[in-house]
Amino acid sequence: IDNIVVGKKLGGESLGYYSLGFNIATLPVLSMTHIINSVFHPVYAKLQDEREALKLMYLKPLEWCLLFMIPVSVGLFLLADIFVALVFGERWLSMIPLLKIFSFYCILRTICAIIAQLLEGVGKPKSAARIVLIEFISLVIFLYPAMIYGFKGVAVAVIVARIISAFLYLREINSIVNVTLGEYLSFLWKKMFAAGVMGIIVYTIRIFLYQNTVFNFIVLILIGVAIYPLLLYFLDRKLVEELKQVVKIQ
C-alpha cells in the first residue's frame, strides 16, 4: 500500500526513489528470511510441545540473524550517501534519506519473520495473521498524515507500523516461551556494542578521508568488516566457539 500511495500522491519519480531505496535496504534480510521459512518451520512444528527446546530454537536463530543484521544496518546508515553517489550517481541522491531511514528495517523484519514462522509452526497462524492485519491498519492510519513530509514521511510511517508489529510479535512469543528482557539483552548487548564501536571508528576514519571515492568506500567497508568480528572475539568467546563448530561441520 505504501508504494501505491507514493506513486499516486507523489508521482513516478518519488516512487522510483522510494522503491529502490526500500529494496536496497531490505535486500540483506531477504535471503535470511528465505532460510528461516524453509528450515525452521518444520523444526518449530516438531518442538511445539517442548517449551524449553522451542525457546532455544527461537533465541538461537534470532541471535545468529541479528549477528549479521545489526552491523549491516549500522554500515548502511553511515555509508548510504557514499554508496548512492558512487553506484547510482547524482540523479539518485534524493534516495539517501530513505536508505538511512530504512537501514534498521531489516532488523525489525528479521524479528517478525522468525516469530511469525514459530507461531505458524506451533499451530497459531491466526495470531500471526492478526498481527499482520494490525500492522496494515496502523500503516493506513499513519500514511496520510506522513504524506506531508513526502516519501521520507511515508518511510517513517512504514517503520513505525513495523515497530508496532514487532512489539506485538514479541508479546505473543512471550506467552509461548516466556523470554525475559534480560535474556534478550544477554546476547544483544554484545552485538550492539560491537556494532556501535565499529560505527564510531568507521565514521571517524571517514572524516579524515575527505573524498568519497570507490577506494575510500571499499576501505571503510573493510575496516568495518575487520573491527566488528574482532570486538566480538573479545566480547563473546562462546559465540566464537559456535562459529568454529559451524565451520568444521561445513
Side-chain angles (χ1 to χ4, degrees):
I1 186 175
D2 50 325
N3 284 297
I4 296 174
V5 171
V6 171
K8 286 189 175 182
K9 299 295 183 179
L10 300 178
E13 183 177 352
S14 293
L15 178 61
Y17 292 137
Y18 182 86
S19 298
L20 185 58
F22 180 84
N23 290 336
I24 292 172
T26 57
L27 185 62
V29 77
L30 290 179
S31 57
M32 197 163 291
T33 302
H34 175 72
I35 294 173
I36 292 168
N37 293 342
S38 60
V39 175
F40 290 104
H41 184 274
V43 174
Y44 293 142
K46 291 179 180 179
L47 297 176
Q48 59 182 303
D49 296 322
E50 302 176 36
R51 296 301 179 181
E52 286 303 315
L54 185 64
K55 181 177 180 178
L56 177 63
M57 289 306 298
Y58 159 62
L59 290 177
K60 188 52 63 177
L62 181 63
E63 179 181 8
W64 280 77
C65 289
L66 294 181
L67 170 69
F68 297 100
M69 289 298 103
I70 292 175
V72 167
S73 296
V74 172
L76 183 59
F77 180 83
L78 291 175
L79 303 179
D81 54 337
I82 307 179
F83 172 75
V84 173
L86 293 176
V87 177
F88 298 99
E90 293 186 0
R91 179 187 172 188
W92 292 89
L93 294 182
S94 297
M95 186 172 65
I96 294 172
L98 285 171
L99 277 182
K100 288 182 176 291
I101 294 170
F102 280 134
S103 60
F104 295 97
Y105 181 85
C106 57
I107 294 177
L108 297 169
R109 185 165 179 172
T110 299
I111 294 171
C112 294
I114 292 176
I115 299 177
Q117 284 303 309
L118 190 149
L119 292 176
E120 290 187 17
V122 299
K124 289 192 172 184
K126 291 183 179 179
S127 296
R130 183 177 66 252
I131 294 173
V132 171
L133 178 60
I134 293 173
E135 180 181 358
F136 177 79
I137 294 173
S138 300
L139 181 57
V140 171
I141 292 172
F142 295 138
L143 265 180
Y144 287 95
M147 291 290 294
I148 300 174
Y149 303 98
F151 53 70
K152 289 180 284 188
V154 173
V156 171
V158 170
I159 292 292
V160 172
R162 179 61 75 163
I163 290 173
I164 293 173
S165 176
F167 172 78
L168 293 175
Y169 272 119
L170 289 169
R171 189 178 69 171
E172 189 68 32
I173 198 66
N174 189 58
S175 67
I176 299 174
V177 293
N178 190 28
V179 183
T180 65
L181 178 61
E183 288 175 300
Y184 284 118
L185 293 177
S186 66
F187 68 82
L188 272 179
W189 79 266
K190 296 172 185 177
K191 283 84 175 168
M192 295 174 67
F193 179 80
V197 173
M198 176 201 75
I200 292 171
I201 294 174
V202 169
Y203 180 77
T204 303
I205 294 175
R206 179 186 171 179
I207 294 174
F208 294 98
L209 290 179
Y210 298 109
Q211 294 182 332
N212 294 334
T213 63
V214 174
F215 176 78
N216 289 346
F217 181 61
I218 294 174
V219 167
L220 291 171
I221 292 176
L222 292 177
I223 290 172
V225 170
I227 290 173
Y228 181 71
L230 181 63
L231 288 171
L232 282 181
Y233 177 80
F234 293 104
L235 290 171
D236 199 342
R237 293 295 179 90
K238 181 180 178 181
L239 180 65
V240 172
E241 291 302 319
E242 290 178 357
L243 286 170
K244 289 181 180 179
Q245 292 299 320
V246 171
V247 171
K248 288 180 180 179
I249 293 174
Q250 295 296 325

